[in-house]
Amino acid sequence: MSIMGYSDLCLGTQVTFTTPSPQKWVLEEKLTEDFQRMTKRELELGGGPSFAVSKYLCHSTTDSNKKAFMRIYFQVPNPGTESQLPRLRRQQAAPPREHLELQALKDLRERHCTVVPALLAYKEGKQGKDGLVPDGYITHIVWDMVPGKPLDTDQFWRAESAPLRQAVRAKFRYIWEELKRHGWQPELPLLKKIIYDESTGDMYAHCRFPRPRPLRSRRGIFRHDLCPLAIN
């Protein structure tokens, strides 16, 4: 399914936030895009709505050199309904899905946790009349860009990289324990998902945070919500 032409996602779009403070960020480059399309069976079991998620590089309107990342979650039409008229797609409109990434970043920000990038801005709203699902939800999250670069798997396992491995393991243990102390326990990330700054020893990782939340359907079947938390 193509989302080309959807104005809220076009490069150069300026997004205005009021939480936690008035800010404006401009979409500069799309980095990733993914779709989570729900089958009819999954929708019947309470697994909806279908959604897409895009990650962007963005910059502040007050300082173009101030870079950050923005992730946008937004409802998309259910399979087979993409070509319906907007008034029909509007019937699928749903309240904001509870994306665990935003929950975790908000919670860790309130706890003054310093092992994840700062949550700079967020908002939960509705798509406009030209949206993929008019009145469907759209959620924006902006977090700070951190220094460093992804670990290179080949370099990491070379014999001469023993000091690097020791430093990374020690730092990751510290991050792991800090997140657990605040009530979040990440899954182990791939090496390429670990961002490490050798000059300062600072490290961040792109992890998944499983906090199962049972969803009971009308038929008594349980599902679990498992969403990614990006801390890179």
Side-chain angles (χ1 to χ4, degrees):
M1 176 182 177
S2 173
I3 59 174
M4 294 298 293
Y6 180 29
S7 59
D8 284 359
L9 304 175
C10 293
L11 298 184
T13 296
Q14 180 175 288
V15 185
T16 301
F17 297 86
T18 58
T19 306
S21 63
Q23 303 173 47
K24 294 181 180 179
W25 294 87
V26 178
L27 301 182
E28 185 173 308
E29 178 186 355
K30 180 184 286 186
L31 303 176
T32 62
E33 180 180 279
D34 187 31
F35 291 88
Q36 298 294 325
R37 310 297 299 280
M38 299 298 159
T39 66
K40 182 178 180 180
R41 175 64 172 169
E42 288 174 326
L43 291 171
E44 290 175 348
L45 298 179
S50 297
F51 70 95
V53 54
S54 297
K55 178 182 176 182
Y56 292 86
L57 175 67
C58 60
H59 65 262
S60 170
T61 57
T62 59
D63 181 1
S64 60
N65 292 319
K66 172 59 178 176
K67 307 289 186 179
F69 292 113
M70 183 186 301
R71 200 181 314 276
I72 305 177
Y73 294 94
F74 53 100
Q75 186 179 357
V76 297
N78 293 326
T81 67
E82 297 88 347
S83 60
Q84 288 184 348
L85 295 173
R87 61 180 176 82
L88 296 178
R89 298 199 307 273
R90 179 180 282 112
Q91 297 174 7
Q92 300 178 32
R97 189 181 181 114
E98 294 184 4
H99 292 289
L100 194 58
E101 176 176 35
L102 179 56
Q103 294 178 39
L105 286 175
K106 287 168 63 177
D107 181 69
L108 292 169
R109 180 178 183 274
E110 292 172 357
R111 296 172 184 270
H112 305 288
C113 180
T114 60
V115 300
V116 296
L119 174 62
L120 301 178
Y122 64 92
K123 69 175 180 177
E124 296 176 304
K126 293 183 178 181
Q127 299 176 35
K129 62 181 180 179
D130 64 337
L132 299 176
V133 178
D135 290 337
Y137 86 89
I138 181 167
T139 298
H140 299 73
I141 307 171
V142 181
W143 69 94
D144 203 8
M145 179 182 289
V146 297
K149 59 183 180 180
L151 289 174
D152 180 88
T153 302
D154 292 336
Q155 178 186 3
F156 186 80
W157 292 113
R158 290 173 184 166
E160 62 270 23
S161 295
L164 172 64
R165 290 195 296 274
Q166 184 176 2
V168 168
R169 287 166 178 160
K171 188 65 176 181
F172 189 80
R173 176 179 291 275
Y174 169 74
I175 291 176
W176 184 282
E177 293 299 329
E178 277 295 290
L179 290 171
K180 285 179 62 179
R181 187 170 67 85
H182 290 298
W184 296 91
Q185 183 169 335
E187 294 180 350
L188 289 173
L190 299 174
L191 282 177
K192 65 180 181 180
K193 295 296 185 180
I194 296 177
I195 310 300
Y196 185 67
D197 186 347
E198 291 191 56
S199 64
T200 63
D202 291 336
M203 187 174 74
Y204 301 87
H206 182 119
C207 300
R208 289 174 62 87
F209 281 69
R211 180 180 278 184
R213 179 171 55 84
L215 301 175
R216 188 179 182 88
S217 74
R218 291 191 300 270
R219 301 185 182 185
I221 299 175
F222 288 85
R223 301 181 72 252
H224 292 284
D225 187 17
L226 184 63
C227 298
L229 167 63
I231 55 171
N232 63 310

